[in-house]
Amino acid sequence: MFCPNCGNQMSNDAKFCKECGWHRSEINNKKGINFNMPIISITSIIKGIIIILTIGIVVNFIIGRVNYKKSKDIYRTGIETTASRKIVYNKGNNIYAKNEIVKEGSDLYYFNSNEEMVKNDWVEYDGKWYYCESDGKIAKSKWVENTYYVDENGQMLKNTFTPDGYYVGDDGKYVDLNLNNINAQVNSNSLSEQIKNAKLLTEYSEDTLIDQIDTVKFGSYPQSDASGNVKEPIEWIVLERYDNRALLLSKYILDCKKYNSENTDITWEMCSLRNWLNNDFYLEAFDSNEQNRILTTNVINSNNSSFGTYGGNNTNDKIFCLSIDEIRKYFGDGIEKYGGSSFFIGKRISTKATNFALSIYTDDNRIWRYGGNDWDKGHSPYWLRSPGSEQNSAADVSSGHYGIKGVNVDEKWLGIRPALWILY
């Protein structure tokens, strides 16, 4: 039989329940009651509910752990080592970096077409060269193999000077600037002596006329011959000397071109004048041996400091026009004129155009030539590479002033006064 109070099984002759103490005399044995059937008590029900809840909690916990692991796999990112010992970069959801550079903290890494980290090798990415070291990190701000230099972004430098003063060429390799290693038909000693002995522009007073300033001769271009058939040596003013390098500015305006072929928003990087200087003029004015002496310069294209006009990306140029900042560095800040649209420096900033430059007509217009009886008689304006007050304008120099407001980029009456860095 079963205890009617707690459901515990009892022997048929038991007087009381050993589990709850129920006494057999407490029952009113009515007809139809079967004491051999189990009785479901409240205690049993509660026990069952507890068991069911416990099972549910355990099942939910297991399912939750599985889902958490799945979500963790989906959002997990970073460098991993696979079972095959291949080092990969998980971008999330088990998608791996391929043919790209990734950043982990402050370090850069490259992963190849097999999704594997590259080590001890050069890689080309987006047109730039990078070197991956033994730990896979892309080298930064250092010499690699004692031959190549990579900058703070890990990119190999080309055609420029490194921060520690060495030069790297077209292929990124270190170049020995010993002039004995340069095969030049130009008399090296003669040119070197000319540059060494020439007075720097900054040594002259602001009122010095252009014809009174020392020059050196390098390259050739049509000048006195208006037809353009006869070339003559180009005269250059020495603006700066640094080690065995010198910054030169042409003494005269050598040609007449628009800053850009059409009137549109433009920067030095994209203008037609820059393209002409570094292609047509470069090839026309210098032979191959002279070209070996001309350095590729990292040209800084700053915004217009007065008007905030965008200067564009920096460029790597053989030949360039001076900027407003360079005018101020080598010629002086000048005195503000015309409401701040230009600054007067003095006579030494102005120059004349050659007969050849004066003979060039563009759309029935040619370079201006100042008349009158003043000191600037016969002088002409020329372009600077800096932007003017608007994106479709460029700064200029005229009659002792440099104009920061500038003129429209498609004007036809300004000349070109090239500048370059040279080995000597």
Side-chain angles (χ1 to χ4, degrees), residues 252-377:
Y252 299 114
I253 294 169
L254 299 179
D255 212 314
C256 179
K257 298 285 181 186
K258 299 178 183 179
Y259 186 93
N260 194 57
S261 56
E262 58 183 33
N263 187 7
T264 185
D265 290 354
I266 201 75
T267 61
W268 172 254
E269 178 188 17
M270 304 305 297
C271 74
S272 58
L273 176 54
R274 173 176 176 254
N275 181 67
W276 178 82
L277 281 171
N278 286 277
N279 290 283
D280 298 49
F281 176 77
Y282 176 69
L283 296 174
E284 174 73 14
F286 310 102
D287 62 32
S288 59
N289 296 304
E290 291 166 337
Q291 291 170 14
N292 286 337
R293 290 177 169 274
I294 300 174
L295 300 173
T296 300
T297 302
N298 181 25
V299 174
I300 307 301
N301 296 308
S302 303
N303 296 347
N304 186 306
S305 59
S306 297
F307 297 96
T309 319
Y310 180 53
N313 297 322
N314 295 339
T315 53
N316 292 320
D317 298 337
K318 296 284 189 180
I319 317 292
F320 51 94
C321 293
L322 294 182
S323 66
I324 292 174
D325 289 341
E326 288 161 344
I327 286 292
R328 287 171 172 163
K329 177 179 180 180
Y330 300 112
F331 290 89
D333 291 331
I335 301 171
E336 184 176 324
K337 296 285 186 178
Y338 309 115
S341 64
S342 70
F343 290 79
F344 180 77
I345 289 181
K347 299 176 182 179
R348 66 178 180 177
I349 197 175
S350 291
T351 191
K352 302 173 183 177
T354 63
N355 288 338
F356 175 71
L358 290 168
S359 71
I360 296 174
Y361 280 80
T362 304
D363 299 335
D364 296 325
N365 284 275
R366 65 178 181 180
I367 192 170
W368 273 4
R369 189 178 187 185
Y370 298 110
N373 296 314
D374 215 342
W375 64 268
D376 60 352
K377 179 179 180 180

